[in-house]
Amino acid sequence: MATFLYKLGRLSFRRRHFVALIWVALLTLAGVGAASAPAAGNSSFSIPGTEAQKAFDLLEQRFPGTSADGATARVVFKAPSGEKMTDPGNKATVKETVKELSDGSEVVRVTDPYQAKAVSKDGTIAYAQVSYKVSGMELDDAAKDALKDSAQDAREAGLTVEIGGDALQAVPHTGSSEIIGIAVAAVVLVITFGSLVAAGLPLLTALIGVGIGVSAITGLASALDLGSTTSTLAMMIGLAVGIDYALFIVSRYRAELAEGRGREEAAGRAVGTAGSAVVFAGLTVVIALVGLSVVNIPMLTKMGIAAAGTVAIAVLIALTMVPALLGYAGRKVKPMGEKGKLLGRAKKKDQPAKPNLGTRWASFVVRRPVAVLLLGVIGLGAAAVPATSLELGLPDDGSQPTSTTQRRAYDLLSEGFGPGFNGPLMVVVDAKGSDDPKAVFAETGDEIKGLKDVVTVTPAQPNKAGDTATITVIPGSKPSSVTTENLVHGIRDAGAGIKADTDANVLVTGSTAMNIDVSEKLNDALVPYLVLVVGLAFLLLIVVFRSILVPLKAALGFLLSVMAALGAVVAVFQWGWLSGLMGVEQTGPVMSMMPIFMVGVVFGLAMDYEVFLVTRMREAYVHGEKPAQAVVTGFRHGARVVTAAAVIMMAVFAGFIGSSESMVKMIGFGLAIAVFFDAFVVRMAIVPAVLALLGRKAWWLPKWLDRALPNVDVEGEGLRTASGDDDRELARV
């Protein structure tokens, strides 16, 4: 592989005009496609195989034209102090509002609070429910404006009016902190390279890669039913890895220049050596992201594949466009050890080389491996403790900032009707195979009334055929509580008994039941996913490092870092530690897909640093250095760059903490803290300590396996042999 990539790097350097033209053309094509593509609607959130989804599909069949997946809005009214909603003036205002709301072309129906008995017991709060033909993201601006205007008219009449539901759902924005993240990355690159030109190369190539990836996703969003979060995730990961991959190749290029090689030769060798590490690091990220498809949640699968595509583009750009731009930069990118005018003094020719910080740190770890290992493991273990209290759920209006009308509507409904009113359960009774459907509907309602935590059970509403009915159940607890989850399971258990007696199916659906089913599905998929992703990456790393213990150590270190990161997420988003600093206005359960998502993404990113750092160690070892010295050599060449890469990745991820979307905010924080733990504790401390303790055993590989594995030559030995650079006999491994 090294020889092929070496030739690719030299070719890209020589034919830089052609390479640059291809990537600019691809960027233009993707941009035109994104601009001309139809606007994407709201990504459909289907969970195949769950009871909630089966009930949802049954509603589509048995209640045609009801728009079961259409947007809903709850317009909540509160009377002024000392008044009631039943007062003639307030009642007239509400009825006028209901009439205005009914005029929209996309409105299916609007419930009158007084006819639907949607007035609180104390008479101070009432609500009207608006149902639409299309989903919240597909709802046109005119319908949203009409909804807001109707509410404003009622406010001007003296009522407090707030709007809940998903009708006002908006595309999330990330805020200015994303730009700050990129600015931090730029500063780190300037400090690392000491040159604006060298620092600008990784940023430019990463932005081009992300531009192509996100534009392609935008262009295909409507056709492939991709949600807005898909492009945000692809941008987040693509930007981080794109900068890192280019950073490693530019750093290796400068190191090759420092050894006296010509610029074209240095570019070829940089791609042949560091580029090999980029390929395998990128493969681990792609495996982790594509592996999300095993969960069988279409939205998560699409997010993973789209992000994986952006990572693949980042790898290709690093292997081709980076050497092409190095050709354009010429002498403006200086050899390693030479500083540009920007950061001042360069090292004098006869001045003895001073050990850098990476060398000094690695030497310390090699001398005190047990102490460093224990300190690192205990520290990560302590950070992971909050993860034992992990509670999972999906965000609802109760997790919105208190400044939003959705959150204020949520609070008003809780105040007037109880916390469970915000998470009603819809029970679908399929009595098509029963002799007396009406009796089945009545029996089901009576069974549910006898369960704990049930406040209200509405009469069954049958369809035209009379063989299927819906029953609305209002729990006594809030949607994300364990009590409500137990109620859902209780209704399903009662339904099993009804099926045995009457052959009727009782299914529970609604957003609350769907959230519960999603959480359970994700929990069930976590272990198989972990086995698949870690297993495939483990095999890949055996090929890269030609070792059993090094990949095993890499996987165990990853588990430590991801558990510590989950602990930090629980502490901030569930317990509320530093929540004000992070902009978390409402604590609550951790998003259901967070654990499995972090396992996938963090594993891929963790292996980046493992590959970049340890391949340098193995390169030194196979060229004759003792194991302990190889660790120091690996840090001398790689620690500074890995540190810069980790800081950049943390800055990019942390930039998404400013998002208005709680899911994106949580992912940004979780990935940023996971990179910190993995790069600075696991890879910089635990890894060298373990390798120092293992010595030559770290690189042991059974002879039969050594013969069976393909020789991918990540260390670039083929390049050394071909050029006669190194006549030293390789260490036996």
Side-chain angles (χ1 to χ4, degrees):
M1 176 180 283
T3 303
F4 169 76
L5 293 178
Y6 165 77
K7 293 177 180 177
L8 178 63
R10 293 194 64 169
L11 179 65
S12 299
F13 188 94
R14 284 198 310 272
R15 303 283 186 244
R16 47 187 172 272
H17 302 309
F18 180 68
V19 172
L21 183 62
I22 288 177
W23 284 112
V24 171
L26 287 174
L27 179 61
T28 304
L29 185 64
V32 170
S36 59
N42 189 29
S43 179
S44 57
F45 190 76
S46 62
I47 314 295
T50 61
E51 180 174 315
Q53 187 64 45
K54 290 175 184 175
F56 201 75
D57 296 339
L58 185 64
L59 285 172
E60 294 278 352
Q61 297 172 12
R62 304 287 175 84
F63 292 83
T66 56
S67 301
D69 61 343
T72 58
R74 278 181 169 178
V75 182
V76 188
F77 306 91
K78 184 175 183 180
S81 179
E83 298 182 19
K84 293 186 180 296
M85 291 305 304
T86 51
D87 293 346
N90 294 335
K91 193 171 183 178
T93 300
V94 172
K95 285 190 172 292
E96 180 61 29
T97 304
V98 169
K99 183 180 177 182
E100 288 180 18
L101 292 170
S102 303
D103 292 338
S105 60
E106 293 183 322
V107 175
V108 176
R109 63 182 176 275
V110 181
T111 61
D112 186 312
Y114 304 101
Q115 295 178 4
K117 299 180 180 179
V119 181
S120 62
K121 288 182 180 179
D122 62 4
T124 60
I125 296 173
Y127 73 91
Q129 182 152 313
V130 188
S131 300
Y132 293 90
K133 297 176 183 177
V134 296
S135 63
M137 293 295 284
E138 294 171 315
L139 202 61
D140 62 35
D141 292 338
K144 293 181 180 181
D145 291 341
L147 180 61
K148 294 175 184 176
D149 291 343
S150 298
Q152 185 58 37
D153 290 343
R155 288 191 189 103
E156 291 173 359
L159 298 178
T160 298
V161 186
E162 304 296 346
I163 305 171
D166 60 353
L168 295 182
Q169 185 176 1
V171 176
H173 62 273
T174 55
S176 59
S177 54
E178 178 189 348
I179 306 300
I180 295 173
I182 296 176
V184 171
V187 171
V188 172
L189 287 169
V190 170
I191 294 173
T192 302
F193 292 133
S195 163
L196 285 175
V197 174
L201 288 180
L203 277 177
L204 177 61
T205 54
L207 289 172
I208 291 173
V210 167
I212 294 172
V214 172
S215 296
I217 291 170
T218 304
L220 297 172
S222 179
L224 300 181
D225 191 27
L226 303 177
S228 58
T229 309
T230 303
S231 58
T232 304
L233 174 66
M235 182 190 302
M236 183 189 303
I237 295 178
L239 194 59
V241 300
I243 294 174
D244 279 7
Y245 294 165
L247 167 64
F248 281 105
I249 289 179
V250 173
S251 297
R252 187 62 184 250
Y253 171 76
R254 296 178 69 231
E256 296 293 338
L257 288 178
E259 293 183 12
R261 294 188 174 88
R263 294 188 177 273
E264 182 179 328
E265 177 70 10
R269 286 177 172 271
V271 176
T273 51
S276 297
V278 165
V279 169
F280 282 100
L283 274 175
T284 58
V285 180
V286 168
I287 287 172
L289 290 170
V290 173
L292 290 170
S293 58
V294 303
V295 183
N296 196 26
I297 295 179
M299 185 189 76
L300 197 58
T301 299
K302 292 171 186 176
M303 287 171 63
I305 292 175
T310 308
V311 172
I313 292 171
V315 171
L316 292 174
I317 283 185
L319 298 178
T320 57
M321 194 168 187
V322 169
L325 292 181
L326 288 172
Y328 283 117
R331 296 184 179 279
K332 292 179 181 177
V333 177
K334 298 183 179 299
M336 188 170 288
E338 288 188 23
K339 295 282 188 181
K341 295 179 180 179
L342 187 65
L343 291 182
R345 298 183 312 223
K347 180 175 72 71
K348 293 180 182 177
K349 236 178 190 180
D350 300 331
Q351 184 179 349
K354 181 182 177 182
N356 60 22
L357 183 60
T359 302
R360 297 197 297 273
W361 169 250
S363 300
F364 170 78
V365 174
V366 167
R367 290 196 305 270
R368 302 282 188 273
V370 175
V372 172
L373 178 61
L374 288 176
L375 187 62
V377 171
I378 291 172
L380 289 178
V385 169
T388 58
S389 302
L390 178 67
E391 295 177 10
L392 297 177
L394 286 177
D396 54 23
D397 283 348
S399 61
Q400 295 267 13
T402 52
S403 58
T404 63
T405 187
Q406 291 94 330
R407 172 60 188 279
R408 292 196 292 264
Y410 180 97
D411 292 339
L412 283 176
L413 288 172
S414 295
E415 177 188 337
F417 302 93
F421 199 80
N422 284 292
L425 306 175
M426 180 178 287
V427 179
V428 183
V429 185
D430 178 9
K432 194 170 186 177
S434 302
D435 297 330
D436 188 357
K438 288 185 178 180
V440 173
F441 300 155
E443 180 184 348
T444 303
D446 292 340
E447 285 281 345
I448 295 172
K449 287 176 183 177
L451 297 175
K452 289 182 179 180
D453 200 48
V454 173
V455 174
T456 305
V457 178
T458 64
Q461 301 292 321
N463 62 349
K464 288 183 180 180
D467 58 6
T468 307
T470 60
I471 300 173
T472 301
V473 180
I474 306 298
S477 304
K478 64 181 182 178
S480 57
S481 68
V482 176
T483 309
T484 301
E485 182 178 346
N486 292 337
L487 175 59
V488 170
H489 291 303
I491 295 173
R492 288 172 175 170
D493 291 341
I498 292 171
K499 180 174 177 58
D501 295 339
T502 65
D503 203 31
N505 288 316
V506 178
L507 307 172
V508 186
T509 188
S511 60
T512 301
M514 185 71 83
N515 290 351
I516 291 169
D517 286 351
V518 170
S519 297
E520 291 180 353
K521 191 176 182 70
L522 288 166
N523 286 340
D524 293 342
L526 182 58
V527 173
Y529 174 70
L530 193 61
V531 171
L532 173 70
V533 171
V534 176
L536 287 175
F538 181 78
L539 295 175
L540 186 66
L541 292 179
I542 288 177
V543 174
V544 174
F545 296 126
R546 308 193 79 77
S547 163
I548 297 293
L549 295 179
V550 170
L552 180 62
K553 172 262 310 165
L556 293 176
F558 149 74
L559 290 175
L560 274 174
S561 59
V562 79
M563 287 303 297
L566 273 176
V569 169
V570 170
V572 173
F573 290 88
Q574 188 176 310
W575 292 0
W577 295 4
L578 301 177
S579 57
L581 183 63
M582 299 297 166
V584 180
E585 295 190 24
Q586 180 67 32
T587 59
V590 172
M591 183 179 59
S592 297
M593 62 181 67
M594 194 67 189
I596 199 165
F597 187 80
M598 283 189 66
V599 164
V601 177
V602 175
F603 182 78
L605 299 179
M607 294 307 102
D608 275 5
Y609 302 116
E610 181 75 16
V611 170
F612 288 129
L613 197 58
V614 180
T615 48
R616 270 291 194 162
M617 298 178 191
R618 175 166 174 78
E619 186 177 341
Y621 176 69
V622 299
H623 291 125
E625 293 188 8
K626 293 181 179 180
Q629 184 56 40
V631 171
V632 176
T633 300
F635 266 76
R636 181 171 70 249
H637 292 295
R640 178 185 176 89
V641 181
V642 168
T643 300
V647 172
I648 288 169
M649 198 170 278
M650 287 167 56
V652 172
F653 288 148
F656 288 84
I657 295 174
S659 173
S660 61
E661 177 86 9
S662 59
M663 174 178 169
V664 175
K665 182 189 291 287
M666 191 179 293
I667 289 174
F669 172 79
L671 294 183
I673 198 71
V675 168
F676 171 77
F677 287 142
D678 196 86
F680 293 106
V681 182
V682 175
R683 308 303 153 191
M684 291 289 187
I686 294 177
V687 166
V690 170
L691 290 178
L693 290 172
L694 290 175
R696 292 184 181 276
K697 295 177 183 176
W699 308 107
W700 170 79
L701 187 70
K703 290 183 179 179
W704 64 268
L705 184 57
D706 189 29
R707 290 191 297 269
L709 292 176
N711 182 15
V712 295
D713 190 22
V714 176
E715 300 84 17
E717 178 54 31
L719 301 181
R720 287 176 177 265
T721 304
S723 62
D725 279 356
D726 193 348
D727 297 328
R728 290 177 295 180
E729 184 179 347
L730 298 184
R732 299 185 66 182
V733 295

